[in-house]
Amino acid sequence: MRSRCGLAMRPGHAIVDDVKRTLGTHWRTEMTNFNQKTVAISFFVFFACIAPAITFGAIYSKFTNYWIGPVEMIVATAWCGILYALIGGQPMMINGGTGPVLAFTAVLFNLSETLDVPFLTLNAWTGIWVGLYMAIAAVFGLNKYILLCTRFTDEIFSTLISVHLPLP
């Protein structure tokens, strides 16, 4: 079966195509070309990641009753950045906490308090399930459906991200 783009629709084809397209491209040039520009970019990315990690970590500690704080945010940001740089095909992606993730974590913490379940366990299982859904989306190449998102959908998401909602 073929998709609209003419690509064969088989499970895992999108992952294989991405690996074929990116394998050996940035690795050869970026990892073997150590110069002043590489050092400058590395420092820029470090400081661009560490400041929000500390800031969001302090806010996380307030909303999660100190279960997640600045140290955990720095470690999580570092590991996400390292893993994404190694397998994501883009070595200069800035990963870290954002407002919507903070809001979701605060709601998840309140839910764990309401259900009387351990917060870190609920948070871990939520992450595992989201990771499983993302793996399924990658295997079946569901990113091609982003083209079906209209400008209205984009505006709705932008509004939800920018609206300041008071967190409990």
Side-chain angles (χ1 to χ4, degrees):
M1 181 186 320
R2 295 205 173 267
S3 68
R4 285 191 301 181
C5 303
L7 298 173
M9 292 178 40
R10 61 193 185 285
H13 79 278
I15 296 173
V16 172
D17 292 343
D18 283 345
V19 169
K20 285 180 182 176
R21 187 174 56 247
T22 61
L23 190 63
T25 56
H26 74 273
W27 285 101
R28 258 183 298 203
T29 57
E30 296 299 325
M31 299 307 239
T32 60
N33 188 16
F34 187 77
N35 58 25
Q36 185 178 5
K37 185 178 178 182
T38 306
V39 173
I41 289 172
S42 298
F43 276 115
F44 170 75
V45 170
F46 172 77
F47 287 113
C49 292
I50 196 75
I54 293 170
T55 305
F56 275 103
I59 299 171
Y60 268 89
S61 64
K62 177 183 175 187
F63 289 121
T64 63
N65 202 16
Y66 299 97
W67 282 105
I68 299 174
V71 173
E72 291 83 6
M73 267 313 276
I74 291 169
V75 170
T77 301
W79 277 109
C80 287
I82 291 167
L83 288 174
Y84 191 84
L86 291 175
I87 64 174
Q90 174 56 275
M92 289 184 43
M93 179 69 179
I94 297 175
N95 294 306
T98 60
V101 176
L102 174 64
F104 177 77
T105 304
V107 169
L108 198 63
F109 178 76
N110 290 333
L111 181 65
S112 73
E113 294 283 312
T114 303
L115 297 175
D116 197 30
V117 297
F119 167 67
L120 293 179
T121 306
L122 181 63
N123 195 23
W125 276 110
T126 303
I128 289 169
W129 279 106
V130 169
L132 179 67
Y133 289 134
M134 293 297 105
I136 290 170
V139 166
F140 290 103
L142 298 181
N143 61 346
K144 64 184 170 225
Y145 293 112
I146 197 71
L147 297 173
L148 301 177
C149 291
T150 64
R151 184 175 175 158
F152 174 75
T153 307
D154 181 46
E155 295 297 326
I156 292 295
F157 280 114
S158 298
T159 303
L160 288 174
I161 289 170
S162 65
V163 170
H164 173 69
L165 299 174
L167 296 174

